[in-house]
Amino acid sequence: MSEKPSNLPVNSDRLWGTILETATFGATPKGGVRRLTLSQEDRKVRDWFKAACEAAGCTVTVDALGNMFALRPGRDPSRAPIGLGSHLDTQPTGGKFDGILGTLAALEVVRTLNDAGIETEAPLCVANWTNEEGSRFAPAMMGSAAFVGDFTVENILGRKDAEGVTVKEALEAIGYVGAAPVGSQPFEAFVELHIEQGPILEAESKTIGVVEHGQGIVWYDGHITGFESHAGSTPMPLRRDALATFSQIVLAVEAIARKHGPDAVGTVGEVTIANPSRNVIPGEVNFTCEFRSPHAEILKSLETDFAAAVAEIAAGRKGVTVEIEQVWRKDPTHFDPKVIGAIREAAEGLGYSNRPMVSGAGHDAFNLATRMPVAMIFVPCKDGLSHNELEDATQADCTAGANVLLHTVLSLAGVANAA
Ligand SMILES: [Zn+2]
């Protein structure tokens, strides 16, 4: 095995060109992208991506949930491929970089290796995961979740969007029901490049985040039952006010997350009053709540404290009941030391400033990490802004991320020959 070409860079302008070109599929007036999963815009970018991968010499397969895999052969076909990629779907008012950078940088890695005449020992496999965003169909990250067996394929195919269209119907409508069984694509390891979607790298003027952990998450649905009665004639001591009870819970969530900070966050993101009226005391309130932490023991404490706070608040409210149901729980993700090490070495070798990081957002890589060695690379995004049309990242930072991806992949796959 020859020496790896230690400073080989990706083609920065070509990478940037693909980001701008694919941003036309679902472009919004404010410069963002609206490309809901399995929509016609998603079909367009998928067709583009498939053609680009095939033109780069890859064989593209699609599985029964529309997950796409572009295989570049290696010298040693007995090894499973090193996976790289992310997602091409966006939020309803999303940006040009979330997920897209990781997928297009993976394509750029293949193109760069082709140009340099480099064959790797292990094959490479560029992936585009279906419905990472979760805005059209729940759950988010469903393609990778089913891939690792968290959901059955039938379960996912039956999920409906707001119009009642199922995943199965949406896949058929855009021609992306693939023949490959979900979960059948082998990977030796997986590397996902992504924008940070947070403010840390930018604030510290660091170029590369070496992501070592992903936050654990608990989701709750809450239901408060009081009693609807006249806002004018019900004296204060006799009220069974569901909304006033809810307000205590919101403040408790904030206090609990602060108490376990800085590595804990808690959010009440949705609330509905069942029959809102300005002169009726709210009798029924439904809400959601979530907590996140990268530490398993903190996540457990958040759960315990939340349950205790809810019980205490309910006990102090005569005639009001509070039910909370935990609807989802994911333990913190700890990425693979070998893949983390390869990313750090690649960043160091290329002279990029870097720091270890925790991912605040969820990613396909978290799902994959339950089945294979995985880690992630972050690059800065402007003002930490994401899931927004104004999401922005510089060409230099995107290129740096792609270069680190290239050299991480080379280190994991091994170089068979260098021109
Ligand atoms: Zn993403």
Side-chain angles (χ1 to χ4, degrees):
M1 201 169 97
S2 54
E3 209 65 39
K4 89 173 184 192
S6 56
N7 287 314
L8 178 71
V10 300
N11 184 326
S12 174
D13 287 340
R14 182 170 56 192
L15 170 64
W16 194 247
T18 60
I19 290 171
L20 298 184
E21 186 182 349
T22 58
T24 62
F25 305 126
T28 65
K30 284 186 193 161
V33 179
R34 176 189 172 87
R35 199 158 61 217
L36 297 181
T37 193
L38 309 183
S39 63
Q40 285 305 318
E41 292 76 24
D42 191 24
R43 177 187 61 77
K44 283 182 194 159
V45 78
R46 283 166 175 267
D47 290 352
W48 180 95
F49 177 67
K50 182 167 184 282
C53 289
E54 286 173 349
C58 296
T59 308
V60 177
T61 58
V62 179
D63 74 15
L65 287 177
N67 292 318
M68 299 173 72
F69 304 105
L71 189 74
R72 182 181 195 262
R75 193 199 59 82
D76 182 356
S78 73
R79 279 178 70 180
I82 303 299
L84 59 166
S86 189
H87 61 96
L88 292 171
D89 66 322
T90 77
Q91 290 285 325
T93 48
K96 294 193 279 287
F97 301 93
D98 174 0
I100 297 154
L101 172 62
T103 318
L104 298 182
L107 167 65
E108 178 55 38
V109 165
V110 169
R111 289 172 161 181
T112 299
L113 294 175
N114 289 349
D115 290 352
I118 293 172
E119 183 182 28
T120 52
E121 287 285 338
L124 305 184
C125 181
V126 176
N128 170 36
W129 300 101
T130 295
N131 187 27
E132 194 278 342
E133 296 291 359
S135 45
R136 180 177 178 192
F137 298 101
M141 298 167 271
M142 73 181 194
S144 56
F147 184 88
V148 299
D150 284 354
F151 298 94
T152 64
V153 175
E154 290 66 35
N155 177 323
I156 295 296
L157 287 174
R159 301 291 180 119
K160 287 181 183 166
D161 69 7
E163 271 77 54
V165 177
T166 63
V167 168
K168 181 167 185 281
E169 290 162 348
L171 279 165
E172 285 166 354
I174 65 162
Y176 273 87
V177 183
V182 174
S184 62
Q185 173 63 52
F187 289 108
E188 188 179 291
F190 197 93
V191 189
E192 182 173 2
L193 165 66
H194 208 281
I195 55 168
E196 180 195 345
Q197 302 180 288
I200 296 170
L201 290 173
E202 188 182 53
E204 294 186 3
S205 300
K206 294 265 178 15
T207 304
I208 297 293
V210 183
V211 187
E212 300 184 344
H213 307 281
Q215 301 210 87
I217 305 178
V218 281
W219 278 7
Y220 297 92
D221 282 349
H223 182 75
I224 305 175
T225 313
F227 193 74
E228 283 163 6
S229 58
H230 197 292
S233 57
T234 314
M236 296 309 289
L238 298 182
R239 292 177 178 224
R240 295 158 64 185
D241 189 330
L243 189 63
T245 307
F246 169 72
S247 67
Q248 286 182 284
I249 292 174
V250 176
L251 295 178
V253 167
E254 193 178 45
I256 291 165
R258 281 176 188 270
K259 174 183 150 196
H260 293 285
D263 291 336
V265 287
T267 307
V268 175
E270 292 179 32
V271 58
T272 52
I273 301 171
N275 300 294
S277 169
R278 81 165 62 221
N279 56 3
V280 175
I281 298 158
E284 189 186 337
V285 165
N286 293 300
F287 66 97
T288 65
C289 171
E290 63 147 71
F291 291 99
R292 304 188 193 207
S293 174
H295 307 294
E297 61 289 0
I298 292 181
L299 197 65
K300 278 214 180 73
S301 302
L302 292 165
E303 292 174 272
T304 311
D305 287 6
F306 181 55
V310 166
E312 193 186 321
I313 291 164
R317 290 263 170 188
K318 222 173 148 202
V320 179
T321 58
V322 184
E323 296 156 64
I324 52 166
E325 185 195 353
Q326 196 175 97
V327 292
W328 188 44
R329 184 181 201 286
K330 188 157 181 60
D331 272 323
T333 299
H334 303 289
F335 285 138
D336 182 78
K338 186 181 165 201
V339 184
I340 292 169
I343 292 171
R344 190 184 303 112
E345 268 175 42
E348 293 287 337
L350 295 164
Y352 294 128
S353 58
N354 62 88
R355 59 161 282 159
M357 292 196 75
V358 170
S359 171
H363 294 287
D364 293 309
F366 290 23
N367 287 333
L368 302 176
T370 62
R371 293 295 165 93
M372 63 190 81
V374 171
M376 292 186 73
I377 304 161
F378 276 178
V379 292
C381 57
K382 191 166 182 288
D383 301 327
L385 194 65
S386 185
H387 287 191
N388 189 303
E389 291 164 277
L390 301 177
E391 181 183 276
D392 203 4
T394 66
Q395 181 176 348
D397 287 339
C398 291
T399 303
N403 281 332
V404 173
L405 180 66
L406 167 65
H407 288 278
T408 301
V409 164
L410 282 178
S411 145
L412 295 171
V415 175
N417 77 301

